[in-house]
Amino acid sequence: MSASSESRTGADVAVIGGGITALVAARRLVESGRSVCVLEASASLGGQIRTVDFAGHAVDVGAEALHVAGPHVERLIDELGLRDDLVVANPGFAWIWTQRGLRRMPAGMGPAGPTRLGPVVGSRVLSPGGIARAALEPMVPRGPGGADVGVGEFLARRFGPQVSERLVDPVLGSLHAGEIDRLSLRAATPHVATQAERHRSLLLAHRHRRGAAAPSFVSFAGGLKRLVDSLVASTGAEIRTSSPVAALCYDSGRVELEMVDGARNLFDAVVVATPARVAAELLGQWCPVAAAELGGLRAASVATAVVSYPRGRVAATAAMSANGLLVPSGARRFLKAATFLTSKWPHLEDPDRFLVRLSAGRIGIDELADLDDDSVISKMQKDLAEMCGLDAEPLGWHLERWPTTLARLEVGHLERLARARAAIGDAPILLAGAAIDGLGIASCVASADRVATAVEAAVEVARRSEELRT
Ligand SMILES: Cc1cc2nc3c(=O)[nH]c(=O)nc-3n(C[C@H](O)[C@H](O)[C@H](O)COP(=O)(O)OP(=O)(O)OC[C@H]3O[C@@H](n4cnc5c(N)ncnc54)[C@H](O)[C@@H]3O)c2cc1C
């Protein structure tokens, strides 16, 4: 690429991608006085946030719930004036599928394992030996020091394998679409890593935190699209859809973007907020080392279906009065999770229909790609019917596929990123988003805030290096 072409956007910072990370980063950069251009490949914005009209309701087929935890999301909701429009998920519980049928997810279960032993004992998910082993957690020596380990391995060491496989895997393995042994403790569950560093015992650490407000899961009456629409309406950036970026390079103090249509634009800095494999492609020519590191980050292919059933038939199925169902990876079932939308969300209440969201797909299992839509729906439904005793045919369904989309932050993630960033060096090209800082809208908002703050410093470093060079 030649770095001599004129910028045609008039912006001095480009943000590649149009998902939540890109939109929040653009907003923050505009606030800091930058003129910003957002370049999104597809015709629509929101990325993995996608709301569709289904059975007369606005239903999310990508991200389904916003986890209100931490200052970044709280701040954004207030800035966008969305607090009064939040819909909070109905209180309820989820089932876990076990070899002996459905068992209630014990209260106090989190990504760091149980926070209380009483509910775990009562849940009948663990054997008596498993419960006894979990109770020994406060006696297990502190670990793992600074080293990164798999979340599954770490929790199995602390609480025993049954807690890891039967209680934590259904939650985290479903969220991260795959077994939890390879998930990075430090990158995928940084709060657990921090607690492990600060406290000898995770169970005892939770005792000290009792009384802290439980994080809530929220949405909007119009679905999570409302968040995307509010950002787009107020960001102040130039936003271009159907604008795929093909490559980027850095030369003589400016970053040049080459668009798929051949147009070239120059910027002071560029934020890359795309899936990792796309970031790898964009950097491939200019920085093969960074591209190789980013290309090694894995992502799972998943599919979500929303299905409507006659309300009366579901009412006879006691299991579906819960908020959902989680399936451990060890169960080797096609269905990964089900959310009983009509039970969970006040805004999806319907007198005639009961809406269910079903999901499938785990890392390393390529089954989805070989199945047509009818087969995917039928396999999901078969599992749901067997697990919950549901005896009803759907009134309608919508299937959404997410090929190689769900980022996996595996052991060694932070070291891999450090190597990619070192290879990018002084160039003001910054990486952000789920594949970099962790999946989930809340992580992406925090990632966007971080990267927007880092842009000014990166531009300054690039300017000084350029001065020294010339
Ligand atoms: C099925 C599913 C369920 C989920 N459920 C939840 C949930 O309930 N709660 C939660 O918090 N999170 C959930 N997540 C995760 C969450 O949605 C994501 O972590 C988050 O939305 C990712 O945002 P992002 O901006 O990093 O990336 P993305 O949303 O992936 O955005 C990246 C954008 O880059 C664009 N792009 C790609 N290539 C190019 C190119 N060459 N040029 C320009 N643009 C390009 C893409 O089109 C896309 O719009 C879910 C995800 C999925 C798939």
Side-chain angles (χ1 to χ4, degrees):
M1 285 199 294
S2 125
S4 58
S5 19
E6 288 295 308
S7 167
R8 296 179 204 173
T9 71
D12 49 24
V13 179
V15 181
I16 309 178
I20 187 76
T21 311
L23 295 173
V24 176
R27 178 185 178 86
R28 298 286 171 243
L29 286 162
V30 169
E31 282 168 358
S32 70
R34 288 281 174 182
S35 69
V36 179
C37 180
V38 174
L39 299 163
E40 161 61 41
S42 74
S44 57
L45 296 161
Q48 293 170 50
I49 298 176
R50 192 173 300 167
T51 310
V52 298
D53 290 329
F54 177 77
H57 296 276
V59 185
D60 282 296
V61 291
E64 185 240 349
L66 170 60
H67 190 192
V68 182
H72 300 274
V73 170
E74 297 271 6
R75 174 182 164 200
L76 187 66
I77 288 171
D78 285 333
E79 282 178 4
L80 296 173
L82 291 176
R83 192 160 291 277
D84 290 344
D85 299 337
L86 295 179
V87 180
V88 181
N90 288 323
F93 68 91
W95 296 111
I96 302 177
W97 174 248
T98 74
Q99 284 174 342
R100 284 158 290 125
L102 294 176
R103 293 286 183 272
R104 209 176 154 131
M105 168 76 76
M109 257 306 299
T115 55
R116 286 179 282 153
L117 271 179
V120 170
V121 174
S123 71
R124 298 186 297 132
V125 176
L126 306 190
S127 70
I131 294 168
R133 172 62 185 83
L136 292 177
E137 192 271 343
M139 266 84 88
V140 175
R142 186 194 282 260
D148 196 14
V149 292
V151 176
E153 179 196 329
F154 170 74
L155 292 175
R157 198 173 69 80
R158 294 223 61 83
F159 292 98
Q162 286 193 12
V163 164
S164 173
E165 288 160 17
R166 299 187 190 181
L167 290 174
V168 181
D169 178 286
V171 182
L172 284 187
S174 158
L175 203 67
H176 294 267
E179 22 65 48
I180 58 173
D181 283 343
R182 288 182 66 178
L183 268 191
S184 158
L185 180 72
R186 286 174 60 213
T189 56
H191 47 294
V192 181
T194 306
Q195 280 190 34
E197 271 162 31
R198 287 194 190 144
H199 304 277
R200 186 174 56 82
S201 152
L202 295 177
L203 263 182
L204 297 179
H206 285 295
R207 277 202 194 151
H208 300 303
R209 294 180 66 232
R210 265 188 207 161
S216 54
F217 291 93
V218 300
S219 184
F220 302 94
L224 290 174
K225 182 176 179 295
R226 181 76 203 287
L227 180 64
V228 175
D229 291 346
S230 299
L231 276 164
V232 172
S234 64
T235 174
E238 178 191 352
I239 297 180
R240 294 186 183 186
T241 51
S242 305
S243 299
V245 180
L248 53 77
C249 77
Y250 177 68
D251 189 18
S252 311
R254 315 278 324 263
V255 186
E256 185 183 49
L257 294 193
E258 183 181 334
M259 308 303 291
V260 164
D261 67 7
R264 286 156 191 239
N265 297 292
L266 293 171
F267 297 94
D268 291 344
V270 167
V271 173
V272 184
T274 64
R277 80 191 140 72
V278 177
E281 281 163 24
L282 298 181
L283 284 161
Q285 224 182 329
W286 172 71
C287 189
V289 174
E293 295 291 357
L294 295 171
L297 298 174
R298 300 206 302 160
S301 296
V302 295
T304 51
V306 280
V307 187
S308 66
Y309 294 98
R311 178 114 202 201
R313 300 298 290 273
V314 174
T317 312
M320 290 171 75
S321 59
N323 278 357
L325 156 66
L326 298 164
V327 184
S329 11
R332 305 275 166 234
R333 288 292 193 135
F334 186 75
L335 188 68
K336 190 177 62 145
T339 308
F340 305 141
L341 296 173
T342 304
S343 300
K344 181 174 176 181
W345 294 111
H347 65 291
L348 298 179
E349 176 57 44
D350 185 307
D352 305 317
R353 294 181 179 82
F354 190 95
L355 305 186
V356 177
R357 179 179 143 124
L358 304 172
S359 61
R362 297 187 194 265
I363 192 92
I365 302 172
D366 295 331
E367 198 179 358
L368 274 173
D370 300 331
L371 294 171
D372 63 20
D373 290 1
D374 284 334
S375 307
V376 172
I377 294 287
S378 133
K379 281 174 83 76
M380 285 171 160
Q381 280 218 103
K382 182 170 169 286
D383 277 351
L384 180 73
E386 272 177 38
M387 291 174 186
C388 295
L390 175 68
D391 178 20
E393 285 303 311
L395 296 168
W397 52 264
H398 171 106
L399 181 71
E400 198 79 29
R401 290 173 184 265
W402 298 96
T404 351
T405 303
L406 213 58
R408 292 263 306 171
L409 278 62
E410 298 189 334
V411 176
H413 180 84
L414 298 179
E415 291 75 8
R416 185 181 278 277
L417 275 188
R419 292 192 296 271
R421 288 189 169 119
I424 291 170
D426 286 348
I429 297 169
L430 298 101
L431 307 169
I436 303 299
D437 291 324
L439 82 170
I441 300 170
S443 295
C444 291
V445 172
S447 173
D449 286 355
R450 175 194 61 71
V451 83
T453 309
V455 161
E456 287 314 318
V459 170
E460 185 55 22
V461 167
R463 191 186 61 75
R464 286 207 193 133
S465 315
E466 196 50 29
E467 269 174 18
L468 286 173
R469 199 182 63 81
T470 50

